[in-house]
Amino acid sequence: MTHGRKPRQPRTRVQNPVRLAAWQAALLDHSQVETIMAPLRQAFKALREGVANEQQWAHLVSAMNIADSVALTSPVRGTRGHIEPAQRALDGIMRRAMASGEWRPTALYYEELDLVRDGLQIYHHQLRHLTRGEYQRAEDHAAADVRRTAGAVVINTTPASEQLALAGV
């Protein structure tokens, strides 16, 4: 009998805590950074060409949300001044694309292109200096932030990317 309480969930046990700590303390390697950045570059290219779909836009929003979390929670600081304008530009793009009630690709203004490009360059810089543990914490923080603001967290299922698509700016 639980008497109205949830049953206890047992914690997972870590078999080798030293290995886990070493894994989390290691920097993201070049291939991991490229795995994260490749879909973002494709999404930015589609956005720049005016043919992006909502999922590609969501990938870019996800990257900016994670970059914002990195700027707040990790040693790579001082980048929020570039991330927030990129987030506002992506919000403006979404508002224009959804003006009819459903997603329609829209052309971008030059300023929006520059802001999103700068945001992606900052994100790439952050990734090159993050450990796996810091990246995981920033990803979790960004997902929690989106959930807190009643956005939808959509997990990308393609094997080419472990990136979260955090929709809901």
Side-chain angles (χ1 to χ4, degrees):
M1 288 249 162
T2 60
H3 301 287
R5 291 178 290 196
K6 291 183 185 178
R8 182 181 173 280
Q9 296 290 329
R11 281 191 269 175
T12 57
R13 290 182 58 183
V14 177
Q15 297 297 327
N16 190 342
V18 173
R19 181 177 286 169
L20 177 64
W23 184 84
Q24 288 183 337
L27 289 176
L28 292 170
D29 62 19
H30 180 72
S31 65
Q32 290 171 319
V33 171
E34 287 307 310
T35 299
I36 293 168
M37 289 301 296
L40 296 174
R41 289 185 186 114
Q42 291 171 353
F44 179 70
K45 181 180 180 216
L47 201 65
R48 185 181 65 222
E49 293 170 355
V51 296
N53 59 33
E54 191 172 4
Q55 186 69 30
Q56 291 167 322
W57 170 85
H59 278 286
L60 292 169
V61 170
S62 167
M64 293 303 101
N65 288 341
I66 294 171
D68 192 36
S69 292
V70 168
L72 289 172
T73 62
S74 80
V76 185
R77 294 185 187 253
T79 56
R80 271 193 104 194
H82 297 283
I83 301 299
E84 287 176 343
Q87 288 176 314
R88 285 193 298 274
L90 286 166
D91 184 48
I93 293 165
M94 186 264 307
R95 290 179 192 282
R96 283 199 316 276
M98 295 293 286
S100 66
E102 65 180 52
W103 183 270
R104 294 188 193 270
T106 183
L108 271 64
Y109 300 118
Y110 288 117
E111 181 180 329
E112 291 172 332
L113 275 172
D114 289 341
L115 292 172
V116 174
R117 182 183 307 115
D118 290 347
L120 284 176
Q121 288 172 348
I122 294 291
Y123 184 55
H124 186 252
H125 171 77
Q126 288 174 332
L127 289 175
R128 287 185 290 147
H129 298 285
L130 281 181
T131 65
R132 293 175 182 145
E134 290 168 341
Y135 178 73
Q136 186 64 46
R137 280 189 297 279
E139 198 174 55
D140 292 344
H141 183 267
D145 196 35
V146 169
R147 284 188 187 102
R148 194 171 30 254
T149 59
V153 177
V154 183
I155 298 175
N156 182 16
T157 58
T158 60
S161 172
E162 297 173 7
Q163 187 78 26
L164 284 178
L166 307 172
V169 175

